[in-house]
């Protein structure tokens, strides 16, 4: 089934693309800042991905891939950084459209943010030799702190909307990491992570997703402020 990873990407973005033209949501109006943000985020995540793949920190099972590669990454992995951010950003703004009060009081956001920073920092201190944990959690700490200082309103809502996004995340990433299929689409070198999994998903992946989507939302909101 060499189209499985491609199918997961396309299925993730299909409904968000379709409903981008909904007369109430009009999500297509955010396409310019969205795609600029996706491009910028790829400048961070793609080199990281390439380096980790070359060094064997993670890799890809060719049985589930089309066999088209660029810079040691399958084309499906490149599409991942377009399809998943698009779908998640769409989910975030759609939830806020229908539930405009879906946000935490800022004092709770501040408390949770600093608590998360503390927990991630403590984990890094005791696991600094694990590259996926180190790089992943460090980026999350930086993004949380910057968002807390520059765009606290974003975190007020994102800390809730991300919990909703975790549902499709566990579905898609579960399959990628071996749930419901014979083998993994993406494999991990457990020497470079905490070796703790939720079902088949490394715990680091949830923080990875958190950072990827937060970065895109932060950039979109920054561009929106400059535009308006």
């Amino acid at each position: 089934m060499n189209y499985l990873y491609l199918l997961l990407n396309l299925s993730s973005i299909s409904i968000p693309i379709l409903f981008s033209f909904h007369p109430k949501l009009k999500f297509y109006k955010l396409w310019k800042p969205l795609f600029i943000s996706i491009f910028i985020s790829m400048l961070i995540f793609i080199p990281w991905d390439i380096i980790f793949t070359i060094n064997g920190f993670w890799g890809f099972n060719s049985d589930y891939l089309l066999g088209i590669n660029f810079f040691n990454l399958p084309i499906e992995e490149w599409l991942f950084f377009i399809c998943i951010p698009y779908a998640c950003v769409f989910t975030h703004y759609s939830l806020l459209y229908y539930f405009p009060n879906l946000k935490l009081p800022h004092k709770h956001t501040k408390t949770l943010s600093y608590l998360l920073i503390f927990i991630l920092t403590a984990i890094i201190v005791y696991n600094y030799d694990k590259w996926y944990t180190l790089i992943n959690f460090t980026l999350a700490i930086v993004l949380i702190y910057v968002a807390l200082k520059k765009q606290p309103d974003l975190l007020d809502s994102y800390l809730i909307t991300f919990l909703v996004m975790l549902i499709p995340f566990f579905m898609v990433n579960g399959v990628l990491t071996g749930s419901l299929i014979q083998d993994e689409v993406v494999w991990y070198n457990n020497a470079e992570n905490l070796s703790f999994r939720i079902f088949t998903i490394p715990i680091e992946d949830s923080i990875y997703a958190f950072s990827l989507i937060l970065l895109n939302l932060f950039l979109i909101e920054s561009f929106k402020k400059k535009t308006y």
Side-chain angles (χ1 to χ4, degrees):
M1 195 174 180
N2 60 352
Y3 54 85
L4 178 60
Y5 196 176
L6 177 63
L7 182 62
L8 288 171
N9 280 326
L10 296 180
S11 61
S12 297
I13 201 174
S14 58
I15 293 178
I17 284 286
L18 179 63
F19 281 90
S20 292
F21 300 94
H22 190 284
K24 290 185 178 180
L25 295 175
K26 297 179 181 179
F27 184 70
Y28 65 90
K29 291 188 174 182
L30 280 179
W31 275 6
K32 183 177 179 179
L34 170 60
F35 285 115
I36 294 174
S37 299
I38 287 175
F39 175 75
I40 294 173
S41 69
M42 290 177 75
L43 294 178
I44 296 173
F45 283 87
I46 288 292
W48 172 5
D49 206 341
I50 292 171
I51 293 170
F52 271 37
T53 302
I54 291 174
N55 285 278
F57 297 160
W58 59 45
F60 307 91
N61 187 339
S62 60
D63 292 343
Y64 300 107
L65 306 173
L66 296 177
I68 303 172
N69 297 300
F70 298 100
F71 299 101
N72 292 297
L73 294 183
I75 190 172
E76 294 89 343
E77 184 75 350
W78 289 80
L79 290 173
F80 174 91
F81 292 105
I82 299 173
C83 296
I84 300 305
Y86 188 106
C88 290
V89 169
F90 172 84
T91 301
H92 174 81
Y93 285 111
S94 296
L95 286 170
L96 292 185
Y97 177 83
Y98 288 106
F99 307 99
N101 295 319
L102 191 65
K103 58 183 180 179
L104 294 170
H106 184 59
K107 62 178 181 178
H108 295 340
T109 298
K110 191 173 182 180
T111 300
L112 286 173
S113 296
Y114 281 120
L115 178 61
L116 186 54
I117 288 173
F118 174 79
I119 292 172
L120 295 177
T121 302
I123 293 174
I124 288 173
V125 169
Y126 288 100
N127 298 274
Y128 62 88
D129 58 334
K130 301 179 186 299
W131 279 102
Y132 187 22
T133 307
L134 174 63
I135 301 300
N136 190 12
F137 288 11
T138 299
L139 177 60
I141 290 168
V142 172
L143 287 174
I144 293 169
Y145 182 78
V146 171
L148 190 60
K149 295 300 181 180
K150 299 293 185 179
Q151 295 183 20
D153 291 345
L154 171 59
L155 276 181
D156 290 345
S157 56
Y158 181 63
L159 290 178
I160 296 179
T161 61
F162 180 70
L163 295 178
V164 178
M165 296 177 208
L166 282 175
I167 298 172
F169 164 78
F170 280 120
M171 295 171 62
V172 172
N173 212 46
V175 175
L176 288 176
T177 54
S179 297
L180 305 176
I181 59 176
Q182 186 174 357
D183 206 350
E184 300 166 313
V185 178
V186 182
W187 57 263
Y188 294 82
N189 178 354
N190 286 333
E192 304 299 340
N193 60 56
L194 296 174
S195 299
F196 178 80
R197 300 203 176 203
I198 302 174
F199 303 108
T200 57
I201 305 169
I203 188 65
E204 284 88 350
D205 277 11
S206 59
I207 303 300
Y208 187 92
F210 181 91
S211 297
L212 176 62
I213 307 310
L214 177 57
L215 176 59
N216 276 277
L217 288 172
F218 181 87
L219 292 170
I220 291 169
E221 289 300 316
S222 298
F223 292 136
K224 284 171 62 179
K225 289 180 180 179
K226 291 182 180 179
T227 303
Y228 300 105

